[in-house]
Amino acid sequence: MSNIHPTAIVDPRAQLAGDVRVEAYAVIGAGVIIGPGSVVFSHSILQGPTRIGANCQIGPAAYVGLDPQHLHFLSQTDRPPTWLVVGDRTIIRETATLHRSTKAGEENATRVGHDCLVMASAHVAHDCRIGNHVTLANAVMMGGHCQVGDRVFLGGGCGVHQFTRIGRLAIISGNEAVSRDVPPFAATRYGGLKGYNAIGCRRSGLSHDALKSIRQAYYCIHTNRTTRRIVKAIEETVPQTAEVRELVDFMSHSKRGMQPSIRFIRSFMYEAPEG
């Protein structure tokens, strides 16, 4: 039997693996599915339909699988059964909030991958897709429909606009406001692309040739103003490693536009006025 504290409330329609531990005053609603080895700490609230993987840690006082904060969804009297799916070994800390999607069906679920860390007070909005090994530091604010690649680090207090994409192995500094796409391997600070995530890329095990090609690609980003010119320069001057092709493909499919190079932001700020 699951180890459920007598003060916890668990709906009989919830499905908990045999060794799941539920601590004091936690509330688990109908449609919640929790995998083996997971722990729900005190005062957490889980609503369904929500699927939690194996060996996850939730709370204390985390809010997981609640209705999306979406006006059209909340105005419906007959709301569809929408989903949140959380992968294995993910940690969701105190007062973090993860909301279900706005579209019915598990295939349309808000998703958080394996081995993620969602720190205190971070928010994952409806319809977001978060990859594996992603870290959301304290008070990260994510709008709806965002996509975040594997091994991304989002610094404390940063805000990510709805529908924004963040590529694999990118790092966003604390308190940044991101409203356009951030390409793979990027380091973002002062409102723009400061460079590439050298430490994260090395730690991930990328080869020397891959790191060299990423550096060359980011030189093109810092010396060309438009996405079209950046892509052209990368294709003509940079060895086409798998990482470079990933970067070019990401930029070529951007709908929101790319976060600009910090060099161009600074040049615009300090340009002398005409006249």
Side-chain angles (χ1 to χ4, degrees):
M1 291 293 292
S2 301
N3 183 10
I4 301 175
H5 192 276
T7 62
I9 300 174
V10 179
D11 192 289
R13 293 166 292 180
Q15 301 176 43
L16 278 59
D19 60 348
V20 169
R21 189 168 89 245
V22 182
E23 294 196 342
Y25 301 106
V27 178
I28 299 177
V32 175
I33 304 167
I34 305 179
S38 293
V39 181
V40 180
F41 291 101
S42 62
H43 297 277
S44 296
I45 297 177
L46 282 69
Q47 295 179 357
T50 292
R51 184 184 301 275
I52 307 293
N55 300 304
C56 292
Q57 300 176 37
I58 300 174
Y63 303 95
V64 178
L66 277 63
D67 284 347
Q69 295 176 144
H70 187 278
L71 289 175
H72 176 70
F73 182 92
L74 295 175
S75 68
Q76 299 177 78
T77 55
D78 186 17
R79 297 172 186 169
T82 64
W83 280 80
L84 166 70
V85 176
V86 177
D88 299 336
R89 300 173 301 280
T90 286
I91 298 172
I92 302 168
R93 290 297 301 266
E94 56 271 22
T95 68
T97 53
L98 285 72
H99 290 172
R100 304 191 320 276
S101 63
T102 57
K103 294 182 179 180
E106 190 171 354
E107 68 277 8
N108 296 314
T110 302
R111 292 185 180 273
V112 177
H114 304 303
D115 301 288
C116 294
L117 173 56
V118 183
M119 296 188 194
S121 300
H123 175 61
V124 178
H126 59 85
D127 303 288
C128 285
R129 300 291 179 96
I130 311 296
N132 302 320
H133 299 277
V134 173
T135 299
L136 276 62
N138 292 49
V140 166
M141 300 169 286
M142 300 197 66
H145 303 275
C146 292
Q147 298 180 35
V148 178
D150 294 344
R151 298 185 181 276
V152 166
F153 184 95
L154 301 181
C158 75
V160 183
H161 195 279
Q162 62 184 356
F163 293 100
T164 297
R165 298 183 305 149
I166 300 176
R168 181 170 71 99
L169 276 166
I171 182 169
I172 313 295
S173 293
N175 296 317
E176 288 290 315
V178 178
S179 60
R180 283 174 278 187
D181 291 347
V182 175
F185 320 116
T188 300
R189 194 177 184 187
Y190 308 125
L193 303 180
K194 187 174 182 292
Y196 83 103
N197 181 15
I199 294 175
C201 288
R202 285 200 299 269
R203 287 177 175 172
S204 73
L206 293 182
S207 68
H208 174 76
D209 289 342
L211 293 173
K212 183 178 179 181
S213 67
I214 291 170
R215 282 197 300 271
Q216 292 174 314
Y218 271 83
Y219 177 80
C220 296
I221 289 173
H222 292 312
T223 53
N224 292 273
R225 283 185 179 269
T226 68
T227 300
R228 181 181 59 82
R229 290 177 61 182
I230 291 169
V231 169
K232 186 174 186 293
I234 291 175
E235 291 176 338
E236 291 179 351
T237 64
V238 180
Q240 297 299 296
T241 62
E243 290 75 19
V244 168
R245 291 194 298 271
E246 177 183 348
L247 178 61
V248 167
D249 181 71
F250 183 97
M251 298 181 75
S252 299
H253 289 87
S254 176
K255 295 181 179 179
R256 294 193 60 82
M258 304 303 300
Q259 209 64 9
S261 166
I262 188 63
R263 297 186 183 184
F264 294 127
I265 294 174
R266 285 174 172 171
S267 66
F268 176 78
M269 289 174 63
Y270 297 114
E271 281 178 355
E274 296 181 2

